[in-house]
Amino acid sequence: REDAPNYLVPHRGMVAPIVAFCAALGLFQLAGSYAFTGSPVALDVAAALPTTLVCLALWALSGRGPPVVEAKKEAVEAAPAAERHDIVEQWKRVGAVGAQDKAVFAAQAGQAAGGSREAREAWRSVGAAGAPPLSLDQLILKLDTPGEAWVVGDLPDPTEPLLLASIVLVAAQERGLPCLIVCDDPTALRGRVNDALRRAGAWRYGPLVVGEEELRIKLENGQMPAAAFVDLRDLSSRAIRALWNCLTPPATAWTRTIGLVVVSRVDRGTPLDASHRFFALRRLALALSAGGARYSVLATGMGGPGTLQFVARVFTTARVSEVPFAPRASAPVKVWRVAEPFAAQAGDPWPKRAAKPLVEFLHLRVAVADPTGRYDSGVAIWGGEMPVLRDLTLDGNASVAALDDAWFVAAWRALRNRVPLADGSTHHSLWAWEASPITMYLAADENIRKLELAGQLITPRSLVGADNPYVARAHLEAALREGRQDRESLQGYFGRSLTDEVLKSLGDTQGHALRRTSADDRLTRVTTVPSQMGTLDDVLRETVTGDAIVIKSRDGGRILARCDRALIETRFYPGRVFATRDARYEVRQKSLDYKRGELLVDGVASDCPMTRPDIGVHMRIMECIDPPRKLTDEQLVYSLATYDVDVSEEILRFYLDDGRKVESESPVRAQYRTRVRGIFFPRPAPPEAHKHLAACVDRMLLAHLLAGDDDIHVIAVPAGFAPDQPAGIVAVDRHVGGMGVAEALDLQVVKALFRWVRSTLYHCDCNVGCLKCTPNHALRGAPNKTEVLKLLGA
């Protein structure tokens, strides 16, 4: 039967040498008989053969069983540590948690059984406790269906690696589907799959390779990998080109047989990071299509409409659907909020101080979730285990997390998907988040839980500059150096005008080929362009354009960041104090050297107040991309439009964290072209109402989009800003060429924004606006909460 348990041999580690010794002894006796009689002993060998085969069969079946003894031993060793030590008590002793504080959130443990045989065996083999999630069963059933793409969202670490390793194990080992896995740490994921094969006692279907170099060497030696693990940089710089390499027949054959593409955290990172991943995966799709691969796709990410749209725009021929993780067994999780005085103390970063008593004295494993990229190795504790993840993590016995508005929501959504700990104990997580209108509203009266039950909780989405001409051109030129592309696919992925412009400049010469452009076996005759000669440069740069300024620490010359030359004046204005990599830095006057292309900044104390600029924005409309459309949402009437504009930014002053205003010694300006999204209201309202609404939407966007203050700026505009349009607000994409802000603010997101702004204002008891419902910078002007509610139809 399919669901029958594996045959287990007790003490199989001792049985193996006994069987081998008996076989050797039998051969020795047969050799002696032959020497004595001088006659053949084939009959004796034939008589011993069935017994030998039975022994080998028993050994093979026994190797497929789970390491029962080892798992029990690990649980016994881990249990006392969880029973002896109170993690929260240690946090209260050092002041990380108030003496009377209670957990702000909690996720109850799930304890259910079930799952198919393949799912249970794979889940046990990768080292996961409890029953496999329902999603694993659903994905295993669909693995043999090419042309499908599945998205699994809300996965913290270590849940995500366990799910990916399980899927790769089943696909490569049980179904014989070669896999290509794109992830942040390919070596670690390959190691997890190797360990799972060892636990299962199974032979590998083929080699498991990491990186383009290993893949190329195996193919040149005629070996067909069962799975290839690469990170995004290796994929973009070399691995895609290796898949195109038609001069090596094994490479062509392996590309054709790829049955599963796995992409980890597909929509993570800054808007520029997400855009690079978007175009690099499009180039991968071109290579797989040209190679004739018929494959399915598994992607993990935030989940929701944004991630589904991301995957659908990359793998255009796939049918995309979301598969909820749906754990059958999950760990109990409690979330505590770090005390503000503790987080504000000078000295070591607060995550290090909070983890120190757990790591040094209790010898527990503590993980750091740092999705905004503020901390690095400076939080490490000597001799302890304290990994830092640029994402969500609930790993180890405890974790600490520094979250902004969007990641606060994402972290809540991931709580219920923490797999059980080996000893069954509770995972405690210590969070820090800024007190904003959205976080205060969600944390009060269990509003976040109520909204989730009602299906109205925010699903953050990434910004993707799919129409950015600079990023698209860099990846288009890389694609032309990877293989013989077909013209129609290039136009679909990179835009018709940009593709024709680049091909014309290269002296376009056309050819024809038969390519599979859909999920079925139908071949289509396409027009191809020749592959360009030359080396393939790394296109995953840190700036939109190739003209960049390097930001360095004056003490030691450490490179902190890079910024487009066109934006450097207003992004890093004189007097700005910003935080990065465990430290704070200040931009001094006359520190920018255009000739050398560098900006030197000075380190300051960790308690030095950070700054927020008072930006003045002037725009001139150059082209209407999406004409105004009139929309109605209950009592709210407005129009949406998109424009390409020339922007001129000016900074005359900035504000400190404590609200103090500082006038700039010399005003700075920046000019660039970008794309904006306009929202116009026919209902008359005073200018103060539009300014108040713009400030609320500006802050609310940070909870709906994976973006920061430097990515978006929302301003109020008077009537006549756009031809024949009344007054309203405009969301400015603060990237050269735009990074997807206008596309992200579709009708669904705009409706959600207005509902959230209306709800936070309406449920606050103040009269004109306060910190509970209105961003701090809006309160410096003339807030008018009543008129904003009227404008929104409340």
Side-chain angles (χ1 to χ4, degrees), residues 487-488 490-502:
R487 189 186 191 100
E488 184 178 351
L490 290 177
Q491 291 173 340
Y493 281 157
F494 298 100
R496 182 177 296 274
S497 60
L498 178 61
T499 301
D500 292 345
E501 176 189 345
V502 171

Side-chain angles (χ1 to χ4, degrees), residues 548-589:
I549 298 291
V550 178
I551 294 89
K552 292 183 177 180
S553 170
R554 196 184 301 273
D555 182 15
R558 182 186 187 188
I559 297 179
L560 303 175
R562 288 177 173 83
C563 180
D564 288 288
R565 185 181 292 263
L567 305 176
I568 189 69
E569 293 277 7
T570 51
R571 288 290 180 94
F572 292 90
Y573 50 88
R576 179 183 178 183
V577 176
F578 63 97
T580 181
R581 300 183 181 179
D582 309 340
R584 295 190 180 187
Y585 298 90
E586 182 180 5
V587 181
R588 303 284 171 82
Q589 290 285 346

Side-chain angles (χ1 to χ4, degrees), residues 760-778:
T760 52
L761 291 174
Y762 184 80
H763 289 90
C764 184
D765 298 331
C766 68
N767 295 322
V768 295
C770 65
L771 288 175
K772 187 178 178 181
C773 65
T774 302
N776 187 30
H777 63 280

Side-chain angles (χ1 to χ4, degrees), residues 602-739:
D602 297 271
V604 295
S606 59
D607 57 350
C608 182
M610 290 195 291
T611 60
R612 179 186 176 94
D614 185 8
I615 304 177
V617 177
H618 305 281
M619 293 176 288
R620 182 164 61 96
I621 294 178
M622 303 303 296
E623 182 182 359
C624 181
I625 303 300
D626 184 13
R629 292 181 298 159
K630 188 176 181 179
L631 303 167
T632 302
D633 182 13
E634 297 178 355
Q635 302 298 318
L636 174 60
V637 180
Y638 57 95
S639 297
L640 285 177
T642 303
Y643 304 95
D644 275 348
V645 299
D646 279 343
V647 171
S648 176
E649 293 182 351
E650 182 180 52
I651 296 181
L652 300 175
R653 64 191 64 85
F654 55 88
Y655 294 90
L656 305 180
D657 282 342
D658 54 14
R660 289 178 293 165
K661 181 173 68 174
V662 178
E663 297 289 341
S664 299
E665 294 184 16
S666 57
V668 293
R669 296 175 179 84
Q671 295 182 347
Y672 57 96
R673 177 167 291 193
T674 186
R675 186 163 289 184
V676 302
R677 186 69 157 163
I679 309 174
F680 308 102
F681 303 93
R683 183 194 294 261
E688 293 78 10
H690 288 115
K691 292 180 180 179
H692 191 162
L693 176 61
C696 291
V697 171
D698 183 75
R699 182 70 202 205
M700 197 65 66
L701 275 173
L702 301 184
H704 286 75
L705 303 175
L706 296 177
D709 284 330
D710 287 342
D711 300 313
I712 309 173
H713 186 60
V714 183
I715 63 172
V717 294
F721 163 77
D724 303 323
Q725 292 301 309
I729 61 175
V730 170
V732 182
D733 193 327
R734 296 190 65 204
H735 292 271
V736 179
M739 203 55 67

Side-chain angles (χ1 to χ4, degrees), residues 500-519:
D500 292 345
E501 176 189 345
V502 171
L503 293 180
K504 184 178 180 180
S505 66
L506 296 175
D508 182 18
T509 57
Q510 297 183 353
H512 296 89
L514 291 177
R515 296 275 171 85
R516 180 180 290 112
T517 57
S518 59

Side-chain angles (χ1 to χ4, degrees), residues 419-440:
V419 295
L421 278 72
D423 59 1
S425 62
T426 300
H427 178 91
H428 294 276
S429 190
L430 186 65
W431 290 3
W433 66 83
E434 185 180 352
S436 68
I438 185 68
T439 56
M440 286 190 287

Side-chain angles (χ1 to χ4, degrees), residues 328-601:
R328 288 188 174 93
S330 59
V333 180
K334 288 188 176 181
V335 176
W336 307 80
R337 187 176 184 183
V338 65
E340 292 185 7
F342 180 83
Q345 288 177 12
D348 290 333
W350 74 264
K352 181 175 183 177
R353 288 184 279 112
K356 193 170 184 178
L358 308 184
V359 175
E360 288 189 345
F361 304 118
L362 305 184
H363 306 293
L364 301 179
R365 176 184 170 90
V366 181
V368 180
D370 182 31
T372 59
R374 176 167 295 186
Y375 305 107
D376 64 0
S377 58
V379 302
I381 298 176
W382 188 85
E385 195 173 2
M386 193 173 173
V388 179
L389 187 70
R390 301 288 182 234
D391 206 86
L392 300 174
T393 182
L394 299 172
D395 198 7
N397 304 92
S399 60
V400 295
L403 309 170
D404 60 12
D405 288 8
W407 286 102
F408 172 81
V409 179
W412 158 263
R413 298 175 67 95
L415 288 181
R416 62 183 179 276
N417 292 334
R418 195 347 175 155
V419 295
L421 278 72
D423 59 1
S425 62
T426 300
H427 178 91
H428 294 276
S429 190
L430 186 65
W431 290 3
W433 66 83
E434 185 180 352
S436 68
I438 185 68
T439 56
M440 286 190 287
Y441 176 77
L442 290 173
D445 301 326
E446 293 193 342
N447 285 334
I448 192 169
R449 189 184 304 277
K450 297 173 185 176
L451 290 168
E452 183 183 35
L453 293 175
Q456 298 177 354
L457 189 60
I458 301 168
T459 304
R461 61 173 67 189
S462 62
L463 287 178
V464 181
D467 297 322
N468 187 284
Y470 301 97
V471 180
R473 188 184 189 98
H475 283 273
L476 172 58
E477 292 174 350
L480 291 173
R481 285 176 169 81
E482 288 168 338
R484 192 175 181 86
Q485 306 282 0
D486 74 272
R487 189 186 191 100
E488 184 178 351
S489 295
L490 290 177
Q491 291 173 340
Y493 281 157
F494 298 100
R496 182 177 296 274
S497 60
L498 178 61
T499 301
D500 292 345
E501 176 189 345
V502 171
L503 293 180
K504 184 178 180 180
S505 66
L506 296 175
D508 182 18
T509 57
Q510 297 183 353
H512 296 89
L514 291 177
R515 296 275 171 85
R516 180 180 290 112
T517 57
S518 59
D520 54 27
D521 289 322
R522 185 176 55 190
L523 295 176
T524 305
R525 187 173 183 266
V526 297
T527 302
T528 62
V529 295
S531 176
Q532 299 299 307
M533 303 300 293
T535 59
L536 183 59
D537 297 328
D538 183 12
V539 297
L540 304 185
R541 58 196 181 206
E542 297 179 30
T543 55
V544 177
T545 68
D547 190 7
I549 298 291
V550 178
I551 294 89
K552 292 183 177 180
S553 170
R554 196 184 301 273
D555 182 15
R558 182 186 187 188
I559 297 179
L560 303 175
R562 288 177 173 83
C563 180
D564 288 288
R565 185 181 292 263
L567 305 176
I568 189 69
E569 293 277 7
T570 51
R571 288 290 180 94
F572 292 90
Y573 50 88
R576 179 183 178 183
V577 176
F578 63 97
T580 181
R581 300 183 181 179
D582 309 340
R584 295 190 180 187
Y585 298 90
E586 182 180 5
V587 181
R588 303 284 171 82
Q589 290 285 346
K590 299 179 181 180
S591 298
L592 178 59
D593 189 336
Y594 276 113
K595 187 175 181 179
R596 292 187 176 182
E598 63 181 26
L599 171 66
L600 297 180
V601 296

